[in-house]
Amino acid sequence: MGELLERRRNESFPETIETDRLRIERLSHETVDLPEYYRICSSDEAIDEVTEYLSWDPHESIRETREYVDMVERQWERGDSAAYLLRPRENEDGSGDIAGGAGMTFDWEQKTGTLGVWLRKRFWGRGYSGERAAAFMRLAFDRLDLDVVAVEHQAGNEKSQRAIEKYADRFGGSYDGTVRNWEVKSGEAHDQHRYTIRREEYCEATA
């Protein structure tokens, strides 16, 4: 455990990751225009639909947005999690715009990274979630030396379920089960479904 933590202290998260269609860049005050990000997180098209199954609600003030960016900067520096913006690359519709956000939280003792993602509605249906997941799995297993990548979705979120099942199967992962009353949102408890991909499964699937 001590060796892993020491290696983690000496290994920073990448500031940017590029895939075939996405530029994935660190979310920070240096990389995001705060008023634009507030508008997206508060009043973007179908924002209530976008956040229905997320852990956060539409932002009510630019101060809330600023505090969120402050928080993810602290978590990045501590090594607790890495938060990114998703931007379509050149030749993609909406090139350079913020398509959504993605990240990974870490349990270094259990050598596990848990993925998260959200997309603005205009970017749904493009397969960006799976493309981002593949990039984060490479990061987790090849650079950060983790043993397991986990991904979860709230019960009832059929769009996320289909996307997760597709890339979990592609990389040899499996469905672990349901955690009851995992999260309370707006006074209501929700179940959570969990999938995992182990290092050896990933290596076999990508060999």
Side-chain angles (χ1 to χ4, degrees), residues 20-67:
D20 289 343
R21 299 181 298 159
L22 292 171
R23 176 180 172 85
I24 305 170
E25 63 181 25
R26 178 185 177 183
L27 171 58
S28 70
H29 286 291
E30 293 183 358
T31 61
V32 72
D33 178 77
L34 200 64
E36 178 194 13
Y37 196 50
Y38 166 62
R39 181 193 62 76
I40 291 170
C41 294
S42 63
S43 57
D44 200 43
E45 174 195 5
I47 188 64
D48 290 325
E49 187 178 355
V50 168
T51 60
E52 180 180 3
Y53 296 107
L54 300 180
S55 61
W56 54 277
D57 293 315
H59 292 187
E60 295 183 354
S61 68
I62 196 168
R63 176 180 179 180
E64 183 177 355
T65 306
R66 182 182 299 107
E67 290 175 347

Side-chain angles (χ1 to χ4, degrees), residues 97-138:
D97 290 348
I98 295 173
M104 192 184 316
T105 58
F106 303 97
D107 186 322
W108 297 106
E109 185 172 357
Q110 295 184 4
K111 298 187 74 172
T112 298
T114 301
L115 305 184
V117 68
W118 65 273
L119 291 168
R120 299 166 67 187
K121 187 169 184 178
R122 59 180 284 215
F123 295 98
W124 289 5
R126 299 190 187 186
Y128 286 166
S129 176
E131 191 166 323
R132 164 268 346 175
F136 277 24
M137 278 188 257
R138 286 194 298 272

